[in-house]
Amino acid sequence: GNSVTQMEGPVTLSEEAFLTINCTYTATGYPSLFWYVQYPGEGLQLLLKATKADDKGSNKGFEATYRKETTSFHLEKGSVQVSDSAVYFCALSDPGRGSTLGRLYFGRGTQLTVWP
Amino acid sequence: DTEVTQTPKHLVMGMTNKKSLKCEQHMGHRAMYWYKQKAKKPPELMFVYSYEKLSINESVPSRFSPECPNSSLLNLHLHALQPEDSALYLCASSQVGSGGREQYFGPGTRLTVT
């Protein structure tokens, strides 16, 4: 089946520190992979995506590379800011099966807190 | 424009009330979704509409009744809810077709059942 495993949180960093949030997946087909971010009191925002192996998604200084050999999609940022404090969800979409049409599989979420 | 709007932002209802949540998108997406999210948890899929037809119902209790009046609108009718139904209800939309589909989420409706 399809599943996503995210590193346990919470993650607490000082401003300008390097961020890595690990994400690995299991999929029956050829999934697309996503990172979503949820700020307090808000809905989920699409942060970045990758649709095939070796694709790198990037946005707002965040990056993640689709690694098929390690079934991973780790989120990285070189220098975090206080405004990056949020919950980050790794997710996959497996488009190949009729019964799972449109379904997103989410990881548990990782709370990131950045201190000034 | 990648905006999905939801109303109301907050809703408090008693267990005998009937209320509705509304969702709207103008991105031309033909798939729309309802999710329930509890605090500190990922969203849980409730319903999926594809081309205005219900395609997935994740065994949601009948006190939740979805409706898709047209390709831009999605409603969730609520009746006789329980306190454990208190949660953030998120609407999302996406394109339909082959290939991975990102979903665009609305800001959610914070529901409290008293």
Side-chain angles (χ1 to χ4, degrees), chain B residues 17-35:
Chain B
N17 291 158
K18 287 184 181 180
K19 296 286 185 184
S20 296
L21 309 185
K22 296 185 183 302
C23 173
E24 188 168 10
Q25 58 88 15
H26 293 288
M27 293 178 278
H29 291 167
R30 302 305 296 274
M32 296 186 76
Y33 312 78
W34 280 116
Y35 288 87

Side-chain angles (χ1 to χ4, degrees), chain A residues 32 34 36 38 41-46 49 51 89 93-95 99-104 106-109 111, chain B residues 9 33 35 37 40-43 45 48 50 55-56 58 88 90 98-107 110:
Chain A
S32 292
F34 309 95
Y36 283 88
Q38 187 173 31
E42 298 186 10
L44 275 70
Q45 297 178 24
L46 178 65
K49 69 174 185 178
T51 58
F89 292 98
S93 173
D94 185 351
S99 64
T100 60
L101 181 68
R103 183 184 296 274
L104 274 179
F106 287 97
R108 65 196 298 169
Q111 172 73 57
Chain B
K9 191 171 177 62
Y33 312 78
Y35 288 87
Q37 187 181 27
K40 300 187 187 299
K41 298 289 187 184
L45 184 65
V48 181
S50 179
S55 62
I56 296 177
E58 286 291 287
L88 181 67
L90 294 164
S98 61
R101 307 172 204 89
E102 61 268 33
Q103 294 181 20
Y104 294 91
F105 286 79
R110 177 75 59 188

